[in-house]
């Protein structure tokens, strides 16, 4: 069994097939809006990275991990701060074989969202001035399975480097993330 696995890995990494398939490593960032069951709780910039495999038949698989801080401030002095940590396995289908390839896919993984909501308390109207004497702080921590769908364009920027602008929608429990990212990576 071990020989078969080693033979399979050697075949995948064989220089004879290198032009038709590739191993990829990439980093990603962008702008992603975070929502929960009560509404918009902030915009943030995710930072992540991953590794994947692109087959000669236009299919790809990859693993992606990322973290994001999102915040939203209201004029009423209510504030949301959230930290998202996520990991997903993804399947991609590339269309065409040019230097710019559209793609679409789906992913499955896990997401953890830690949120803090601060709001004024002890508020009263005194001498025609609205003042508050304290702050209420509510913290929540949720982990859930994540389902995602995405579409983008893989653009070759040389023989080994690629850029992938992408739009993604993901749902983890009561949290939804919607946004655009750009991945930059290398393939071998």
């Amino acid at each position: 069994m071990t020989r078969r696995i080693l033979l399979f890995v050697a075949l995948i990494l064989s220089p004879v097939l290198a032009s038709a398939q590739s191993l990829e490593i990439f980093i990603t960032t962008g702008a992603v809006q975070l929502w929960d069951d009560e509404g918009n709780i902030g915009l943030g910039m995710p930072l992540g990275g991953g590794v994947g495999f692109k087959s000669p038949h236009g299919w790809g698989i990859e693993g992606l991990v990322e973290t994001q801080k999102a915040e939203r401030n209201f004029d009423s002095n209510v504030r949301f701060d959230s930290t998202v940590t996520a990991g997903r396995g993804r399947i991609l289908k590339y269309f065409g074989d040019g230097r710019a390839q559209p793609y679409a896919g789906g992913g499955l993984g896990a997401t953890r969202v830690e949120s803090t909501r601060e709001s004024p308390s002890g508020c009263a109207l005194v001498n025609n001035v609205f003042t508050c004497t304290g702050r209420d702080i509510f913290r929540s921590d949720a982990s859930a399975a994540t389902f995602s769908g995405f579409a983008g364009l893989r653009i070759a920027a040389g023989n080994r480097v690629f850029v992938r602008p992408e739009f993604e929608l993901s749902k983890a429990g009561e949290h939804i993330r919607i946004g655009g990212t750009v991945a930059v990576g290398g393939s071998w």
Side-chain angles (χ1 to χ4, degrees):
M1 184 66 170
T2 304
R3 286 185 183 190
R4 288 182 189 165
I5 293 171
L6 290 174
L7 181 59
F8 178 71
V9 170
L11 184 62
I12 288 173
L13 299 176
S14 170
V16 172
L17 299 175
S19 63
Q21 61 194 9
S22 61
L23 295 173
E24 300 180 338
I25 297 174
F26 58 91
I27 58 172
T28 184
T29 190
V32 175
Q33 188 75 42
L34 180 63
W35 299 77
D36 69 4
D37 58 349
E38 295 180 13
N40 173 5
I41 60 173
L43 176 69
M45 185 175 79
L47 297 172
V51 61
F53 172 78
K54 186 171 177 266
S55 81
H57 305 293
W59 288 94
I61 59 170
E62 63 187 30
L64 171 67
V65 294
E66 63 185 346
T67 187
Q68 170 188 345
K69 294 198 180 290
E71 65 179 51
R72 184 163 185 209
N73 297 302
F74 293 88
D75 290 339
S76 63
N77 209 13
V78 173
R79 176 184 170 91
F80 288 100
D81 287 311
S82 300
T83 301
V84 178
T85 306
R88 291 184 297 290
R90 301 175 6 141
I91 296 176
L92 300 86
K93 174 61 178 154
Y94 293 94
F95 304 99
D97 56 2
R99 294 189 61 78
Q101 294 179 296
Y103 67 90
L108 180 63
T111 299
R112 178 182 174 131
V113 180
E114 299 170 330
S115 292
T116 302
R117 182 191 76 221
E118 292 185 36
S119 57
S121 65
C123 300
L125 186 61
V126 178
N127 297 329
N128 291 330
V129 177
F130 190 75
T131 60
C132 300
T133 59
R135 303 229 11 114
D136 284 335
I137 298 174
F138 175 76
R139 290 187 174 83
S140 68
D141 186 352
S143 295
T146 305
F147 303 95
S148 66
F150 53 88
L153 182 66
R154 184 182 191 276
I155 304 165
N159 291 333
R160 301 232 182 264
V161 177
F162 63 88
V163 177
R164 282 191 343 204
E166 176 179 292
F167 176 80
E168 182 174 19
L169 169 68
S170 66
K171 180 163 179 27
E174 68 182 29
H175 293 94
I176 295 174
R177 296 174 67 212
I178 302 172
T181 60
V182 175
V184 177
S187 60
W188 290 268

